[in-house]
Amino acid sequence: MRISTRSRYGLRMVLDIAVNGQSSPVRIHDVAARQGLSVKYLEKLIRILKDHGFILSKRGPRGGHMLALPQEDLHIGNIVSALEGDRHIIDCTADPQCCEAQNSCPTRKLWDNAARSMFDTLNAVSVADMVKEISRADGLPSGPATDPTLSETKIAMADPVDAAS
């Protein structure tokens, strides 16, 4: 299974907001600049995340985006599921009627278990866990932002597609 750019970039955006938005909302343009991503694409993703209750937005000159829940309550699997649209890795586990071999297929349960295992693994990790990893990697404090340089932290996450090349 491939995780789409929607999930990879969306998670980078959530982590950027988590790290850089601990004391004030984060503007999407700032996230895009730090992450090297398109503002328009991030705007699409932020709408999905807002609709699922992960992100709050504040309008105005000091507006921007912030996490809607404490970092400890935001789990990576739920974010990925919201961005991908479902938790199924093949069509027949989402819609058994799409395959005429639904009742006799020896692999259907395997794919369903694989998807469940993947999301169980992703949901075992919270945004708070990822922020701690980022802080350790960057030598940043892992608590609330007290250092103004934290607002410029770029989330450097290896992209599996880029790493494979």
Side-chain angles (χ1 to χ4, degrees):
M1 173 185 179
R2 295 181 57 97
I3 298 292
S4 73
T5 56
R6 193 182 323 193
S7 289
R8 294 192 331 260
Y9 294 175
L11 182 56
R12 284 172 52 189
M13 178 174 55
V14 167
L15 294 174
D16 189 292
I17 291 168
V19 169
N20 296 304
Q22 293 183 18
S23 60
S24 63
V26 177
R27 293 177 2 156
I28 202 79
H29 288 84
D30 295 337
V31 174
R34 280 190 294 269
Q35 298 302 318
L37 301 172
S38 158
V39 171
K40 283 192 175 280
Y41 194 57
L42 292 181
E43 286 172 342
K44 289 179 186 178
L45 300 180
I46 205 85
R47 270 186 238 114
I48 295 168
L49 294 167
K50 282 173 52 177
D51 290 345
H52 282 85
F54 299 126
I55 298 289
L56 294 174
S57 297
K58 180 180 175 186
R59 293 180 179 261
R62 292 198 172 139
H65 305 284
M66 58 202 113
L67 300 180
L69 300 168
Q71 293 179 5
E72 298 78 18
D73 295 339
L74 288 170
H75 296 276
I76 305 307
N78 294 332
I79 294 168
V80 170
S81 181
L83 291 165
E84 292 297 333
D86 67 42
R87 292 176 173 241
H88 303 282
I89 59 176
I90 60 171
D91 292 337
C92 71
T93 59
D95 177 18
Q97 304 304 319
C98 77
C99 177
E100 53 191 57
Q102 66 171 328
N103 294 326
S104 62
C105 182
T107 61
R108 186 166 168 242
K109 186 174 181 178
L110 172 72
W111 301 130
D112 193 39
N113 288 339
R116 190 175 305 110
S117 294
M118 180 181 76
F119 280 100
D120 286 348
T121 299
L122 292 173
N123 274 326
V125 180
S126 70
V127 168
D129 297 329
M130 296 295 298
V131 168
K132 286 177 190 166
E133 284 297 315
I134 294 163
S135 296
R136 266 195 289 272
D138 291 343
L140 297 171
S142 59
T146 54
D147 181 354
T149 60
L150 188 59
S151 65
E152 294 301 317
T153 302
K154 178 177 178 178
I155 309 305
M157 294 177 58
D159 190 335
V161 173
D162 296 336
S165 355

